[in-house]
Amino acid sequence: MIKRILVIHGPNLNLLGEREPDVYGDNNIDTLNAEIIRRAEKSGIQCDVFQSNHEGEIIDKLHEARKIYDGVIINAGAYTHYSYAIRDAISAIKIPCIEVHISNVDARDSFRANSVIAPVCVGSISGFGFGSYYLALQALTEM
């Protein structure tokens, strides 16, 4: 049973609300985090959030997660498309991870359609704005 989850936001997600609002919306990361935590608590789940623009910090957080959390929701940002190091960290921790993206990555630049982390995640959700995170939270609670 999922009791504690970690949400990881990758590079540039700290700029939500400022960066390409036509793609990512006008709400900031604090609004997103507050709603994720509210929804998790409503489901009886403890939720922590983490954001980093640095690949190594994301990997370190994933390694720590294996001993603390029952599941991870990760938006690896651009690292999704080329970070085999993050892919290997997800594979190594042996807890369910769900890949999320705010935008529909398949409808954007062609390089965004390739995810090196998707094969080691239990699922991927994209294109629903902040709702992608909420759907991932629901999926984890139903696992």
Side-chain angles (χ1 to χ4, degrees):
M1 174 175 265
I2 301 289
K3 294 182 182 176
R4 191 166 183 199
I5 65 161
L6 173 65
V7 175
I8 297 177
H9 304 291
N12 300 310
L13 289 162
N14 56 304
L15 297 179
L16 286 173
E18 299 174 40
R19 177 182 174 231
E20 299 179 81
D22 54 317
V23 174
Y24 300 107
D26 350 7
N27 287 317
N28 63 32
I29 194 168
D30 295 330
T31 301
L32 172 59
N33 288 340
E35 184 61 15
I36 292 169
I37 291 168
R38 186 191 73 75
R39 288 174 184 238
E41 288 174 350
K42 187 176 178 182
S43 298
I45 296 170
Q46 181 183 343
C47 179
D48 295 316
V49 294
F50 172 78
Q51 190 279 324
S52 179
N53 294 316
H54 306 283
E55 184 178 35
E57 288 180 359
I58 293 169
I59 293 166
D60 289 343
K61 200 67 170 176
L62 284 163
H63 290 177
E64 291 171 18
R66 78 187 194 284
K67 294 183 178 180
I68 300 170
Y69 300 97
D70 302 306
V72 173
I73 296 170
I74 183 167
N75 183 341
Y79 289 134
T80 299
H81 316 295
Y82 67 86
S83 179
Y84 292 99
I86 290 175
R87 179 240 179 259
D88 289 349
I90 291 169
S91 180
I93 64 173
K94 308 273 191 251
I95 57 175
C97 293
I98 297 179
E99 171 190 18
V100 299
H101 298 284
I102 295 168
S103 68
N104 179 352
V105 291
D106 293 317
R108 297 182 64 202
D109 311 291
S110 60
F111 76 89
R112 294 182 195 276
N114 179 51
S115 170
V116 300
I117 68 171
V120 294
C121 290
V122 296
S124 300
I125 301 170
S126 70
F128 297 100
F130 286 4
S132 294
Y133 288 89
Y134 313 147
L135 290 167
L137 176 62
Q138 180 181 345
L140 277 178
T141 61
E142 293 178 7
M143 292 186 71

